[in-house]
Amino acid sequence: MKFRFSPIAGFFLLATTPLFAQTPGHPANDRYAFGLLDHRSYYGTSWFPEPLRAPEFDVDRELRLDYFHGEGSDRQVQKVKAEVEYNFGLLTLEVAGAYERESASAVDSLTSQISHNTAQGVGGIELAARHPLYQYVSPGGLFDFTLVGALEVAIPSGSAISKDTEIVPQLFQLMRFGEHFSVQTSVGYSAFVGPDPGGDRSLEYNAVFGYNLEHQQLPLPGILRTIPIFELNGSRALSGKSSGQNTLFGTVGIRFNFEPIGRLQPRIGVGYVFPIDQGARHELDWGIVTSLVFEF
C-alpha cells in the first residue's frame, strides 16, 4: 500500500515532533518528572484557549456543549455534542457523546424528481485521555512548548450512523509566544474496526491560532479574557474508496471567558466554518459552530 501525504498533512506531522532539547542553564528545580516537564510552563493553567472544532489540548475540568450546523448545495448537517472532562494532576480524562443528523437530496436524471435521504442517531461514545510528555520553557520565559500524548476510542452506539469502533492515537503540541499568542497543533491516526467502514484509515490534523486579550487590554463588562481564534481542521484518507483525498476546513471565531459564577466559569465561543480545498467544498459550503463551556 502506498501512502501519499499532502504538504499540509506533512507539515502538521512534522510540527508535532519535539524539536527542543533541554537548554543548559535551566535551574534544576524548574524541571521534574525525570527532567521532562517544567514547573514554569503555562500548560495546565487554563491559559491556552479551548478550540472551537479541534480536539482539546490543555488540562481541563469542565462541562462542555457544542452545536454545529453546516450546509452544502445538496446536504445539511447538524450535530450536538456534550462532554465531561476531569483531571487527576496533569492527566485529563474525557467522556463525550453526540447526536447527529445528516440529510441529502438527489435529482433523478430520468424523472427529474428530487429524493431526500436522512441519516440520524447517537454517534459513538468517545473515551479519551491525554498527558504531557515533554516541556521546554525558554530561559526568559517568553517561549513555552509542551508535547502531549493522547488516545481516543469511540465505542459504537449501534445507531444508523455508529456501527464501528474508532481508535485514534494522537500527538498534541502547544506553544506560547510571549504573553498573548498561542499555537496548538495535533496529528492523529484514525482507524475504524467493524462492519461499516471497518479497515478505513485516515490522518487527522488541526492547527489552532489564538491571541489572548486580558480584561486590561480589552475591558468588556463581565469578561475576563477575549480570544480571537483561527483554526485549520483537516483529514486525509489513507485507505478505502476515498484514499488520497484531503479535506481541509478553516474556522474563524472568538471565545469569551466570563467572570466565575460560584465555582463555575462560563466560556462561550462561536465560529464560522468554511471550506479551503476541493474535498471540503464537496462536503459543505459553510457552517456555524457554537460552544458553551463551564469550567469548574
Side-chain angles (χ1 to χ4, degrees):
M1 179 182 298
K2 294 183 178 179
F3 298 125
R4 297 181 60 191
F5 294 89
S6 70
I8 295 176
F11 167 77
F12 290 113
L13 183 60
L14 179 62
T16 57
T17 304
L19 301 178
F20 305 98
Q22 183 174 350
T23 300
H26 272 206
N29 60 357
D30 283 337
R31 303 198 67 82
Y32 65 106
F34 305 101
L36 297 175
L37 304 181
D38 196 310
H39 286 295
R40 299 173 301 153
S41 175
Y42 277 38
Y43 185 80
T45 66
S46 298
W47 184 85
F48 288 96
E50 284 114 344
L52 295 170
R53 299 193 70 207
E56 294 193 59
F57 305 89
D58 204 353
V59 176
D60 280 314
R61 189 175 291 188
E62 66 184 28
L63 305 173
R64 176 168 173 162
L65 182 66
D66 291 352
Y67 173 72
F68 175 77
H69 177 91
E71 294 197 10
S73 57
D74 56 358
R75 187 171 180 237
Q76 186 179 91
V77 177
Q78 299 179 76
K79 181 177 180 179
V80 178
K81 182 178 181 180
E83 66 182 48
V84 179
E85 297 192 22
Y86 198 88
N87 75 292
F88 299 90
L90 294 177
L91 173 65
T92 299
L93 304 179
E94 175 185 327
V95 180
Y99 185 86
E100 301 178 43
R101 184 179 187 274
E102 179 179 332
S103 59
S105 58
V107 179
D108 189 299
S109 59
L110 297 178
T111 64
S112 297
Q113 292 184 339
I114 301 176
S115 60
H116 300 277
N117 297 310
T118 300
Q120 58 186 335
V122 176
I125 306 303
E126 301 174 4
L127 308 174
R130 60 184 180 271
H131 193 281
L133 303 176
Y134 178 81
Q135 291 177 326
Y136 170 82
V137 181
S138 65
L142 294 179
F143 177 76
D144 188 335
F145 167 88
T146 298
L147 180 70
V148 178
L151 177 65
E152 178 185 312
V153 178
I155 302 172
S157 65
S159 69
I161 63 170
S162 177
K163 300 293 186 182
D164 294 332
T165 298
E166 183 183 14
I167 302 173
V168 190
Q170 298 169 301
L171 284 175
F172 300 156
Q173 178 179 259
L174 300 89
M175 292 176 287
R176 174 180 60 85
F177 300 87
E179 297 301 320
H180 300 283
F181 184 60
S182 66
V183 179
Q184 303 174 78
T185 68
S186 74
V187 62
Y189 180 79
S190 171
F192 283 92
V193 180
D196 197 1
D200 282 3
R201 305 288 187 266
S202 64
L203 181 74
E204 300 176 350
Y205 56 93
N206 298 272
V208 182
F209 305 89
Y211 194 85
N212 288 3
L213 294 170
E214 306 296 338
H215 185 77
Q216 294 82 352
Q217 286 93 40
L218 187 61
L220 299 177
I223 296 177
L224 297 178
R225 182 179 294 163
T226 303
I227 311 133
I229 295 173
F230 174 68
E231 297 186 24
L232 296 171
N233 315 113
S235 65
R236 184 176 182 84
L238 302 178
S239 64
K241 61 181 181 180
S242 300
S243 180
Q245 178 174 313
N246 194 76
T247 303
L248 181 62
F249 285 94
T251 303
V252 59
I254 195 167
R255 188 176 287 280
F256 299 100
N257 294 358
F258 288 82
E259 293 181 355
I261 304 174
R263 293 185 57 189
L264 299 178
Q265 185 198 40
R267 302 180 177 186
I268 297 177
V270 61
Y272 176 75
V273 181
F274 56 94
I276 292 179
D277 65 1
Q278 187 61 38
R281 285 189 288 271
H282 180 72
E283 290 191 6
L284 294 172
D285 294 331
W286 61 272
I288 295 291
V289 58
T290 58
S291 172
L292 175 61
V293 175
F294 290 100
E295 187 177 69
F296 58 90

Short mmCIF file of all heavy atoms in Angstrom, two decimals, residues 158-187:
data_model
loop_
_atom_site.label_atom_id
_atom_site.label_comp_id
_atom_site.label_asym_id
_atom_site.label_seq_id
_atom_site.Cartn_x
_atom_site.Cartn_y
_atom_site.Cartn_z
N GLY A 158 -24.46 1.68 18.03
CA GLY A 158 -25.37 0.77 17.35
C GLY A 158 -26.43 1.48 16.54
O GLY A 158 -27.27 0.83 15.92
N SER A 159 -26.40 2.82 16.50
CA SER A 159 -27.37 3.56 15.70
C SER A 159 -27.02 3.46 14.22
O SER A 159 -26.01 2.88 13.83
CB SER A 159 -27.40 5.02 16.13
OG SER A 159 -26.20 5.68 15.76
N ALA A 160 -27.85 4.09 13.39
CA ALA A 160 -27.64 4.03 11.94
C ALA A 160 -26.35 4.69 11.52
O ALA A 160 -25.79 4.39 10.45
CB ALA A 160 -28.81 4.69 11.22
N ILE A 161 -25.80 5.58 12.34
CA ILE A 161 -24.58 6.30 11.97
C ILE A 161 -23.37 5.86 12.79
O ILE A 161 -22.29 6.43 12.64
CB ILE A 161 -24.77 7.82 12.13
CG1 ILE A 161 -25.02 8.17 13.60
CG2 ILE A 161 -25.90 8.31 11.25
CD1 ILE A 161 -24.99 9.64 13.88
N SER A 162 -23.54 4.86 13.65
CA SER A 162 -22.43 4.44 14.52
C SER A 162 -22.41 2.92 14.64
O SER A 162 -23.07 2.34 15.52
CB SER A 162 -22.56 5.10 15.90
OG SER A 162 -21.55 4.67 16.77
N LYS A 163 -21.65 2.28 13.76
CA LYS A 163 -21.55 0.82 13.74
C LYS A 163 -20.16 0.32 14.09
O LYS A 163 -20.00 -0.85 14.43
CB LYS A 163 -21.91 0.30 12.34
CG LYS A 163 -23.31 0.65 11.86
CD LYS A 163 -24.38 -0.04 12.68
CE LYS A 163 -25.76 0.21 12.10
NZ LYS A 163 -26.83 -0.42 12.91
N ASP A 164 -19.15 1.18 14.01
CA ASP A 164 -17.77 0.73 14.16
C ASP A 164 -17.09 1.38 15.36
O ASP A 164 -17.45 2.47 15.80
CB ASP A 164 -16.94 1.06 12.91
CG ASP A 164 -17.41 0.28 11.71
OD1 ASP A 164 -17.94 -0.82 11.89
OD2 ASP A 164 -17.24 0.78 10.58
N THR A 165 -16.06 0.72 15.83
CA THR A 165 -15.17 1.30 16.84
C THR A 165 -14.09 2.10 16.13
O THR A 165 -13.54 1.66 15.12
CB THR A 165 -14.53 0.19 17.69
OG1 THR A 165 -15.56 -0.52 18.38
CG2 THR A 165 -13.54 0.78 18.69
N GLU A 166 -13.80 3.29 16.67
CA GLU A 166 -12.73 4.12 16.11
C GLU A 166 -11.64 4.30 17.16
O GLU A 166 -11.92 4.62 18.31
CB GLU A 166 -13.25 5.48 15.67
CG GLU A 166 -12.18 6.35 15.01
CD GLU A 166 -12.68 7.73 14.63
OE1 GLU A 166 -13.77 8.12 15.11
OE2 GLU A 166 -11.98 8.43 13.87
N ILE A 167 -10.40 4.09 16.76
CA ILE A 167 -9.25 4.25 17.65
C ILE A 167 -8.33 5.31 17.05
O ILE A 167 -7.95 5.22 15.88
CB ILE A 167 -8.49 2.93 17.83
CG1 ILE A 167 -9.45 1.85 18.38
CG2 ILE A 167 -7.30 3.10 18.76
CD1 ILE A 167 -8.84 0.47 18.41
N VAL A 168 -7.99 6.34 17.86
CA VAL A 168 -7.19 7.45 17.34
C VAL A 168 -6.07 7.79 18.32
O VAL A 168 -6.28 8.54 19.28
CB VAL A 168 -8.05 8.72 17.11
CG1 VAL A 168 -7.24 9.77 16.34
CG2 VAL A 168 -9.34 8.39 16.38
N PRO A 169 -4.87 7.25 18.13
CA PRO A 169 -3.71 7.76 18.89
C PRO A 169 -3.30 9.11 18.32
O PRO A 169 -3.32 9.32 17.11
CB PRO A 169 -2.65 6.69 18.66
CG PRO A 169 -3.03 6.03 17.37
CD PRO A 169 -4.52 6.12 17.26
N GLN A 170 -2.93 10.04 19.22
CA GLN A 170 -2.67 11.41 18.78
C GLN A 170 -1.45 12.00 19.49
O GLN A 170 -1.08 11.56 20.58
CB GLN A 170 -3.89 12.30 19.08
CG GLN A 170 -5.16 11.89 18.37
CD GLN A 170 -6.36 12.63 18.91
OE1 GLN A 170 -6.68 12.57 20.09
NE2 GLN A 170 -7.06 13.36 18.05
N LEU A 171 -0.87 13.00 18.85
CA LEU A 171 0.15 13.84 19.46
C LEU A 171 -0.30 15.29 19.36
O LEU A 171 -0.74 15.74 18.29
CB LEU A 171 1.50 13.67 18.76
CG LEU A 171 2.30 12.40 19.07
CD1 LEU A 171 3.55 12.34 18.20
CD2 LEU A 171 2.68 12.34 20.55
N PHE A 172 -0.22 16.00 20.47
CA PHE A 172 -0.58 17.41 20.51
C PHE A 172 0.68 18.23 20.81
O PHE A 172 1.58 17.79 21.51
CB PHE A 172 -1.60 17.70 21.63
CG PHE A 172 -2.89 16.95 21.50
CD1 PHE A 172 -3.67 16.71 22.63
CD2 PHE A 172 -3.34 16.50 20.28
CE1 PHE A 172 -4.87 16.04 22.54
CE2 PHE A 172 -4.54 15.81 20.16
CZ PHE A 172 -5.31 15.58 21.31
N GLN A 173 0.69 19.43 20.27
CA GLN A 173 1.78 20.37 20.55
C GLN A 173 1.18 21.72 20.91
O GLN A 173 0.33 22.24 20.18
CB GLN A 173 2.68 20.52 19.33
CG GLN A 173 3.81 21.53 19.52
CD GLN A 173 4.68 21.63 18.28
OE1 GLN A 173 5.75 21.05 18.20
NE2 GLN A 173 4.22 22.37 17.29
N LEU A 174 1.56 22.28 22.05
CA LEU A 174 1.09 23.59 22.47
C LEU A 174 2.28 24.52 22.59
O LEU A 174 3.29 24.18 23.23
CB LEU A 174 0.37 23.52 23.82
CG LEU A 174 -0.87 22.63 23.89
CD1 LEU A 174 -0.49 21.20 24.26
CD2 LEU A 174 -1.86 23.17 24.93
N MET A 175 2.19 25.70 21.99
CA MET A 175 3.28 26.67 22.02
C MET A 175 2.74 28.05 22.40
O MET A 175 1.71 28.49 21.89
CB MET A 175 3.97 26.75 20.66
CG MET A 175 4.74 25.50 20.29
SD MET A 175 5.44 25.60 18.62
CE MET A 175 3.94 25.41 17.62
N ARG A 176 3.44 28.69 23.31
CA ARG A 176 3.13 30.06 23.71
C ARG A 176 4.27 30.97 23.29
O ARG A 176 5.43 30.68 23.55
CB ARG A 176 2.94 30.15 25.24
CG ARG A 176 2.75 31.57 25.76
CD ARG A 176 2.58 31.59 27.26
NE ARG A 176 3.74 31.04 27.95
CZ ARG A 176 4.83 31.71 28.28
NH1 ARG A 176 4.94 32.99 27.93
NH2 ARG A 176 5.83 31.12 28.92
N PHE A 177 3.92 32.07 22.62
CA PHE A 177 4.90 33.07 22.19
C PHE A 177 4.57 34.37 22.92
O PHE A 177 3.59 35.04 22.58
CB PHE A 177 4.86 33.27 20.68
CG PHE A 177 5.16 32.03 19.89
CD1 PHE A 177 4.16 31.13 19.55
CD2 PHE A 177 6.46 31.77 19.47
CE1 PHE A 177 4.44 30.00 18.81
CE2 PHE A 177 6.75 30.63 18.73
CZ PHE A 177 5.74 29.74 18.41
N GLY A 178 5.37 34.71 23.94
CA GLY A 178 5.09 35.91 24.71
C GLY A 178 3.87 35.72 25.60
O GLY A 178 3.55 34.62 26.03
N GLU A 179 3.17 36.82 25.87
CA GLU A 179 2.06 36.79 26.81
C GLU A 179 0.69 36.69 26.15
O GLU A 179 -0.32 36.61 26.85
CB GLU A 179 2.09 38.06 27.68
CG GLU A 179 3.33 38.18 28.55
CD GLU A 179 3.47 37.00 29.51
OE1 GLU A 179 2.44 36.56 30.06
OE2 GLU A 179 4.61 36.53 29.70
N HIS A 180 0.62 36.66 24.78
CA HIS A 180 -0.68 36.72 24.14
C HIS A 180 -0.90 35.62 23.09
O HIS A 180 -2.01 35.08 23.01
CB HIS A 180 -0.88 38.09 23.47
CG HIS A 180 -0.81 39.24 24.41
ND1 HIS A 180 -1.84 39.59 25.26
CD2 HIS A 180 0.19 40.14 24.64
CE1 HIS A 180 -1.49 40.63 25.97
NE2 HIS A 180 -0.27 41.00 25.62
N PHE A 181 0.11 35.31 22.29
CA PHE A 181 -0.09 34.48 21.10
C PHE A 181 0.18 33.01 21.39
O PHE A 181 1.20 32.66 22.01
CB PHE A 181 0.80 34.97 19.97
CG PHE A 181 0.60 34.24 18.66
CD1 PHE A 181 -0.63 34.25 18.03
CD2 PHE A 181 1.64 33.56 18.07
CE1 PHE A 181 -0.82 33.59 16.83
CE2 PHE A 181 1.46 32.90 16.87
CZ PHE A 181 0.23 32.92 16.25
N SER A 182 -0.73 32.14 20.92
CA SER A 182 -0.58 30.70 21.11
C SER A 182 -0.82 29.97 19.80
O SER A 182 -1.61 30.40 18.95
CB SER A 182 -1.55 30.18 22.17
OG SER A 182 -2.90 30.31 21.74
N VAL A 183 -0.13 28.83 19.65
CA VAL A 183 -0.34 27.92 18.53
C VAL A 183 -0.48 26.52 19.11
O VAL A 183 0.37 26.07 19.90
CB VAL A 183 0.83 27.95 17.53
CG1 VAL A 183 0.58 26.96 16.39
CG2 VAL A 183 1.03 29.36 16.97
N GLN A 184 -1.56 25.83 18.74
CA GLN A 184 -1.76 24.46 19.16
C GLN A 184 -1.97 23.60 17.91
O GLN A 184 -2.78 23.96 17.04
CB GLN A 184 -2.99 24.35 20.07
CG GLN A 184 -2.91 25.24 21.30
CD GLN A 184 -4.20 25.21 22.11
OE1 GLN A 184 -4.49 24.28 22.84
NE2 GLN A 184 -5.00 26.27 21.97
N THR A 185 -1.27 22.49 17.82
CA THR A 185 -1.41 21.60 16.66
C THR A 185 -1.65 20.18 17.14
O THR A 185 -1.30 19.80 18.26
CB THR A 185 -0.17 21.62 15.76
OG1 THR A 185 0.93 21.02 16.45
CG2 THR A 185 0.20 23.04 15.34
N SER A 186 -2.26 19.39 16.27
CA SER A 186 -2.48 17.97 16.57
C SER A 186 -2.35 17.16 15.30
O SER A 186 -2.61 17.64 14.20
CB SER A 186 -3.87 17.76 17.19
OG SER A 186 -4.89 17.88 16.21
N VAL A 187 -1.96 15.90 15.47
CA VAL A 187 -1.97 14.94 14.39
C VAL A 187 -2.40 13.61 14.99
O VAL A 187 -1.96 13.24 16.09
CB VAL A 187 -0.59 14.82 13.69
CG1 VAL A 187 0.48 14.35 14.65
CG2 VAL A 187 -0.68 13.92 12.47
#
